[in-house]
Amino acid sequence: MTGTTSDSCCEETPAPPRMWSVDEHLADVLSDVVPLPAIELQLLDAQGCRLAEDVDSEVDLPPFDNSSMDGYAVRTADTAGATGPYPSVLTVVGEIAAGAAELPKVGPGQAARIMTGAPMPPGAEAVAPVEWTDGGTGTGEAADAMTAAPAGGAEEVRVLRPVAEGAHIRRRGSDLSARERVLEAGALLGPTQLGLLAAIGRATVRVRPRPRVVVLSTGSELVQPGEPVGPGQISDSNSFTLTAAAQDAGAIAYRVGGVPDDAAVLRAVLEDQLGRADLIVTSGGVSVGAYDVVKEVFAEYGEMDFRRLRMQPGKPQGFGRIQGTPLLALPGNPVSSYISFELFVRPVIRTMMGAPDVHRPVVGAVCTGELRSPAGRRQYLRGWYADGEVAPVGGEGSHLVGALARANCLIVVPEEETSVAAGRTVDVVLLTG
């Protein structure tokens, strides 16, 4: 008898879903993100942005020789050998204030009263600080400060010690020279950088703008902090953590309160927020739960890929675009959400900003405690790093926000290791600095 095979026995077992490594997921996410287009901003509007171009000075700083002290502009030969008992007596030919346009000429046996920041007059070779003179009082005793010029008549000043050539003069270009590179593309613009740009005469600057990041958390169990927490409910902490983390990364972050597990509400929130977002970050709704509406709604707006990673915590992740706007969907557990942000969202924000350093620094440290890790998963444990050593903080649970708040780093246990003995050197992701 000829044997037959039923259809059912020919059915192939579906292949298990692909498990992505942390590095594969991060590379895939970053390959789809580019720096935001550069824009020209007024200086104070550019604070916190990254330069989109190199900046060269078009002027010398200082732009002219000027005095670094209140005192008298003099010729050095006229002060040679001066002492208290035998001072050099010089005729004062004028006074020079900061911003002066007309300058007296200092000839032999002459001096000019000069204030800090004022331009050096022709003929003068140095500045005698007022404390090295009698301040024009005629007493021959060292003065404490400049006094008002005498009304009418010639003034004399007694210089009580020799003054070396170039003393107390800020030379033109001694800080910066014209055509010198002062800031490079990618530099973060803070108070001192903005001050430098103003000093070289720049009123505007070309920058990568700070990304606008919309942060929302999903889940019908969420209530706003300060509101009563009923049975089965929890306060929404994720949106606060992630919004603060986005700001810390350099973004302009907008926090959206907890969104319930309702497709219509989530659609309405997305429609409302897309107009002001360069990036959307969500937490919750990326697992295989029966009430996770995030995948359903996101699929209506664009291409989203929900995947599983070989990491703990943070196994479920989502990434794609909603009407062209990048979206990263993070797990809902607080620790998973935050660690996912640090590993994946922060590099996206900093890539958009044009930052040269998109990742947190990683250092080696001696672990003071024993660590356990599941096989095949890259474990990220909370830790405290100091002086080349790291100690585990709290347990492994992805709900332990108390331990997370006490940590300043993440201890990395590779996928191929299930334990780390105390005294071993481990990689540590620094969360500060």
Side-chain angles (χ1 to χ4, degrees), residues 15-392:
R18 174 185 174 183
M19 292 285 288
W20 293 63
S21 71
V22 171
D23 297 333
E24 289 172 337
H25 178 64
L26 177 59
D28 187 50
V29 168
L30 292 182
S31 69
D32 195 49
V33 179
V34 296
L36 295 176
I39 59 176
E40 194 84 12
L41 291 179
Q42 297 288 325
L43 291 188
L44 292 181
D45 293 332
Q47 183 169 4
C49 296
R50 296 273 177 171
L51 271 178
E53 60 184 356
D54 295 333
V55 175
D56 298 336
S57 177
E58 297 180 0
V59 298
D60 292 325
L61 283 185
F64 50 83
D65 290 355
N66 67 88
S67 176
S68 66
M69 304 283 286
D70 290 342
Y72 292 83
V74 298
R75 293 160 47 94
T76 56
D78 291 335
T79 67
T83 64
Y86 303 100
S88 295
V89 182
L90 306 177
T91 300
V92 178
V93 295
E95 180 172 282
I96 310 169
E102 296 184 3
L103 306 177
K105 182 178 180 180
V106 176
Q110 296 179 336
R113 290 165 59 92
I114 193 168
M115 307 304 164
T116 301
M120 291 294 296
E125 301 166 324
V127 173
V130 65
E131 296 86 355
W132 294 11
T133 75
D134 70 350
T137 62
T139 63
E141 297 181 359
D144 293 330
M146 295 292 281
T147 58
E155 179 189 357
E156 289 184 339
V157 63
R158 288 164 175 75
V159 181
L160 310 177
R161 67 173 74 176
V163 184
E165 183 175 353
H168 311 297
I169 296 177
R170 302 167 178 153
R171 293 298 186 187
R172 174 177 179 171
S174 59
D175 186 4
L176 295 173
S177 300
R179 297 176 297 280
E180 181 178 344
R181 177 68 41 81
V182 296
L183 291 172
E184 296 185 349
L188 178 65
L189 297 181
T192 56
Q193 291 75 27
L194 294 174
L196 171 59
L197 291 169
I200 64 173
R202 292 288 294 266
T204 64
V205 65
R206 193 164 178 79
V207 298
R208 304 283 180 189
R210 297 168 62 194
R212 299 165 300 167
V213 179
V214 170
V215 177
L216 62 92
S217 50
T218 65
S220 295
E221 75 279 12
L222 301 177
V223 298
Q224 295 307 299
E227 296 181 359
V229 178
Q233 295 181 323
I234 59 173
S235 289
D236 172 22
S237 64
N238 280 359
S239 63
F240 287 90
T241 301
L242 299 180
T243 301
Q247 292 173 339
D248 182 70
I252 299 171
Y254 304 104
R255 174 188 166 270
V256 179
V259 180
D261 294 320
D262 183 298
V265 174
L266 181 55
R267 289 190 196 97
V269 170
L270 285 175
E271 291 287 350
D272 182 57
Q273 298 297 323
L274 277 169
R276 66 170 180 175
D278 297 309
L279 173 67
I280 298 177
V281 179
T282 69
S283 65
V286 294
S287 64
V288 294
Y291 296 100
D292 290 339
V293 300
V294 171
K295 297 178 183 178
E296 170 194 339
V297 173
F298 288 173
E300 301 172 5
Y301 284 86
E303 296 184 0
M304 288 291 300
D305 187 8
F306 291 92
R307 55 187 60 160
R308 298 189 301 170
L309 273 58
R310 293 196 297 273
M311 66 178 287
Q312 181 176 319
K315 178 180 176 182
Q317 300 285 334
F319 172 68
R321 287 182 177 267
I322 302 295
Q323 295 184 358
T325 300
L327 185 148
L328 283 94
L330 312 181
N333 281 321
V335 176
S336 302
S337 178
Y338 175 71
I339 291 177
S340 298
F341 181 97
E342 288 293 337
L343 296 179
F344 308 125
V345 183
R346 182 183 174 90
V348 168
I349 291 173
R350 297 181 69 78
T351 296
M352 287 180 160
M353 293 181 64
D357 50 342
V358 302
H359 302 291
R360 289 287 197 184
V362 178
V363 299
V366 176
C367 190
T368 61
E370 183 179 0
L371 307 177
R372 299 290 181 184
S373 182
R377 304 277 187 90
R378 185 180 300 182
Q379 176 89 308
Y380 292 90
L381 296 166
R382 282 73 76 199
W384 182 262
Y385 171 82
D387 301 325
E389 294 185 339
V390 64

